[in-house]
Amino acid sequence: MIFTLRKKIQSLMSILDISKVQDDEVGDGTTSVVVLAGELLREAEKLVNMKIHPMTIIAGYRMAAECARNALLQRTMDNKGNTDKFRSDLMNIAMTTLSSKILSQDKEYFAELAVDAVLRLKGSTNLESIQILKKPGGSLKDSFLDEGFILDKKIGLGQPKRIENANILVANTAMDTDKVKIYGARVRVDSMTKVADIEAAEKQKMREKVQKIIAHGINCFVNRQLIYNFPEELFADAGILAVEHADFEGIERLALVTGGDIASTFDNPESVKLGHCKLIEEIMIGEDRLIHFSGVAMGQACTIVLRGASEHVLDEAERSLHDALCVLSQTVNDTRVLFGGGWPEMVMAKEVDQLARKTPGKKSHAIDAFSRALQAIPTIIADNAGLDSAELISQLRAEHHKENSTAGIDVITGNVGDMQKRGICEAFKVKQAIILSATEAAEMILRVDEIITCAPRRREDRM
């Protein structure tokens, strides 16, 4: 087996893919899965140089992965039956997830926001009903959780600022389709009266379209495209709140949370599903005016408004909070929890090491290599905190030879600490995905003996 440059590039692409899958599936653990896959390949390269066949290594890795997973299953905690303890578990998981991100300084505050938002979903993993709205200004601690949906648009002049028991028509339609828009077309007239007639005909067609929309029995019209002055004036006269140029993601989420559909034609009012909410009003966040929809049909819908000093800070905060929301939503479904801080890796490494001693043949070398690869994660945790990883890992290994040890790396004190007392927890589903995905990626790359490519095309000598 030859580790050529092309094979290394393929390895990088495969590891990048598993990182993306990890993010899509559980929302966190992307760094851990890359580190573990890299360590498994590093150990595999050593074994290959010892003339151990890749299929033997793969068989050993599979045995070790199954052993590691079973070791975690025996030590999971599940407080699903106790609401207070389960909320505490969710808080600990959220704080652990946020500890390595930009929100680490205010992790308790944002963990509370994330847990409150996820518990509103009542077991659903559809994060579309949780909107994250970024507004520059203030500090990160000025962020808050709001019930309902907030649309980042202003209410126009002369339109109602407050509507109760709203019937909402969400649309994606052009209000100027009746104008002549053919490229290069010209209309010749011999008097200004006829120009006025053309404009009057256009206005009449616009008026007819507005009348069709009003016939749906609505008092709020939200359009993806522009509405223009004349139709907006007609809506205002009818007492209808008209919102134009709402972003596409905004109207999709609005339709979802209000229980409506996005319409584009209005000839059959009975076939259009309207959205509903109890109250629409204009609110202010900082210096910006926005439209707030409360009492929406999807009761679990909510909005997290992020405040911060700059767009860059807000973007990082959004990514951090999204990871926490993903992990929490998965934990609500699979309520099993583990301690963090390198504790799961040391538990798995101990069990895998014992399996290696019981297994005869060359597979034992691969199983032992898997155990060493698992210990790379607590080693990197210590290195990233600026601690002496060799000393801490040796202490941690000694602690884990005691029965029912809950020892892990406490980066705050710089020592080995009790993860149970520190409240450092992780979701079992995240750890399981890390082990399985990293092992599968390593297996896939190990199966490739060599990459054969065509010789580059010769350039013709033009001289």
Side-chain angles (χ1 to χ4, degrees):
M1 180 176 176
I2 302 171
F3 277 78
T4 60
L5 177 61
R6 291 189 184 92
K7 178 155 188 178
K8 288 178 181 178
I9 292 171
Q10 188 210 18
S11 303
L12 288 172
M13 295 302 293
S14 300
I15 291 172
L16 179 64
D17 288 341
I18 63 167
S19 178
K20 288 179 179 177
V21 169
Q22 180 78 10
D23 189 43
D24 293 340
E25 289 293 320
V26 290
D28 197 25
T30 51
T31 306
S32 299
V33 75
V34 168
V35 167
L36 183 56
E39 287 298 320
L40 288 173
L41 289 172
R42 189 202 303 272
E43 294 293 335
E45 187 172 11
K46 294 176 187 175
L47 296 175
V48 167
N49 292 335
M50 291 167 58
K51 307 300 181 184
I52 298 177
H53 196 275
M55 293 307 294
T56 305
I57 300 170
I58 289 170
Y61 275 6
R62 284 183 177 174
M63 291 173 64
E66 186 63 25
C67 176
R69 182 175 174 275
N70 290 334
L72 289 185
L73 280 170
Q74 292 169 10
R75 291 167 175 81
T76 56
M77 301 170 291
D78 194 343
N79 292 317
K80 187 177 182 180
N82 189 320
T83 306
D84 293 335
K85 284 187 178 180
F86 183 55
R87 183 182 174 85
S88 177
D89 286 345
L90 292 178
M91 283 290 296
N92 289 334
I93 289 170
M95 286 192 285
T96 303
T97 303
L98 296 173
S99 292
S100 60
K101 298 176 173 64
I102 194 173
L103 299 177
S104 58
Q105 299 300 318
D106 303 310
K107 61 184 179 183
E108 289 184 16
Y109 181 75
F110 282 97
E112 189 82 32
L113 289 183
V115 170
D116 287 342
V118 168
L119 288 179
R120 289 179 62 89
L121 299 180
K122 299 175 182 176
S124 170
T125 55
N126 181 18
L127 295 179
E128 287 295 318
S129 52
I130 301 176
Q131 180 192 20
I132 299 178
L133 187 66
K134 298 176 289 184
K135 278 293 167 187
S139 66
L140 284 170
K141 266 210 163 180
D142 293 330
S143 304
F144 61 92
L145 176 69
D146 190 275
E147 179 190 345
F149 179 81
I150 297 176
L151 188 64
D152 193 1
K153 297 299 294 183
K154 295 179 183 178
I155 294 178
L157 295 173
Q159 295 185 4
K161 303 291 183 184
R162 178 186 173 92
I163 296 176
E164 295 182 1
N165 299 319
N167 295 321
I168 306 161
L169 177 58
V170 184
N172 183 13
T173 185
M175 298 302 291
D176 64 336
T177 51
D178 299 303
K179 289 189 174 183
V180 177
K181 293 195 294 185
I182 302 171
Y183 179 74
R186 288 195 292 178
V187 179
R188 292 182 179 274
V189 293
D190 52 14
S191 70
M192 292 302 296
T193 307
K194 291 183 179 178
V195 173
D197 291 342
I198 292 171
E199 289 181 352
E202 286 180 348
K203 281 190 173 183
Q204 180 58 32
K205 288 188 175 181
M206 286 185 184
R207 184 180 285 107
E208 289 172 2
K209 188 167 190 176
V210 170
Q211 291 301 326
K212 286 181 181 179
I213 293 170
I214 294 173
H216 287 70
I218 61 170
N219 48 16
C220 178
F221 177 63
V222 182
N223 192 23
R224 168 71 183 85
Q225 302 181 42
L226 291 172
I227 295 180
Y228 299 98
N229 293 338
F230 182 64
E232 191 173 9
E233 181 185 333
L234 297 175
F235 283 124
D237 291 342
I240 293 174
L241 169 62
V243 181
E244 66 175 358
H245 218 213
D247 62 282
F248 194 73
E249 184 182 343
I251 68 163
E252 279 200 326
R253 188 176 273 115
L254 178 61
L256 174 71
V257 301
T258 58
D261 289 335
I262 299 175
S264 55
T265 58
F266 312 100
D267 293 325
N268 300 307
E270 65 280 356
S271 64
V272 176
K273 189 178 179 183
L274 300 179
H276 303 279
C277 75
K278 291 181 181 177
L279 179 65
I280 301 175
E281 59 184 343
E282 190 173 57
I283 61 171
M284 285 196 71
I285 298 177
E287 297 179 356
D288 296 333
R289 294 180 182 274
L290 303 97
I291 305 172
H292 183 231
F293 298 78
S294 57
V296 293
M298 184 181 279
Q300 63 264 38
C302 59
T303 301
I304 297 175
V305 180
L306 290 179
R307 307 300 310 281
S310 66
E311 290 286 352
H312 176 70
V313 170
L314 289 174
D315 288 341
E316 287 297 319
E318 182 188 20
R319 279 191 285 272
S320 304
L321 194 59
H322 182 264
D323 286 353
L325 291 171
C326 288
V327 175
L328 291 174
S329 66
Q330 295 294 334
T331 309
V332 169
N333 271 348
D334 187 344
T335 54
R336 291 172 291 181
V337 176
L338 299 164
F339 294 120
W343 177 86
E345 286 75 22
M346 296 307 294
V347 166
M348 291 187 287
K350 179 184 173 183
E351 293 293 328
V352 172
D353 189 49
Q354 290 177 1
L355 176 66
R357 294 178 186 181
K358 299 174 188 174
T359 305
K362 292 183 178 180
K363 287 180 185 177
S364 62
H365 293 286
I367 297 170
D368 190 44
F370 197 99
S371 174
R372 290 195 299 272
L374 285 169
Q375 293 179 35
I377 291 179
T379 302
I380 289 170
I381 290 174
D383 287 339
N384 286 348
L387 306 175
D388 185 351
S389 59
E391 176 68 20
L392 283 175
I393 295 302
S394 62
Q395 291 179 18
L396 198 56
R397 193 184 297 115
E399 284 289 329
H400 275 269
H401 275 283
K402 301 174 184 177
E403 286 296 321
N404 300 320
S405 173
T406 57
I409 296 174
D410 186 347
V411 297
I412 306 299
T413 62
N415 298 310
V416 171
D418 189 333
M419 297 296 100
Q420 188 171 12
K421 291 179 180 176
R422 294 287 299 172
I424 299 173
C425 296
E426 297 183 65
F428 167 75
K429 195 167 184 179
V430 172
K431 280 296 172 192
Q432 178 179 251
I434 289 170
I435 297 299
L436 299 180
S437 298
T439 307
E440 286 176 4
E443 285 181 17
M444 183 179 67
I445 294 166
L446 276 169
R447 286 178 184 278
V448 181
D449 289 330
E450 189 173 358
I451 295 174
I452 302 171
T453 57
C454 296
R457 181 172 57 87
R458 276 191 181 180
R459 295 186 178 181
E460 296 179 3
D461 190 1
R462 302 189 179 215
M463 298 298 290

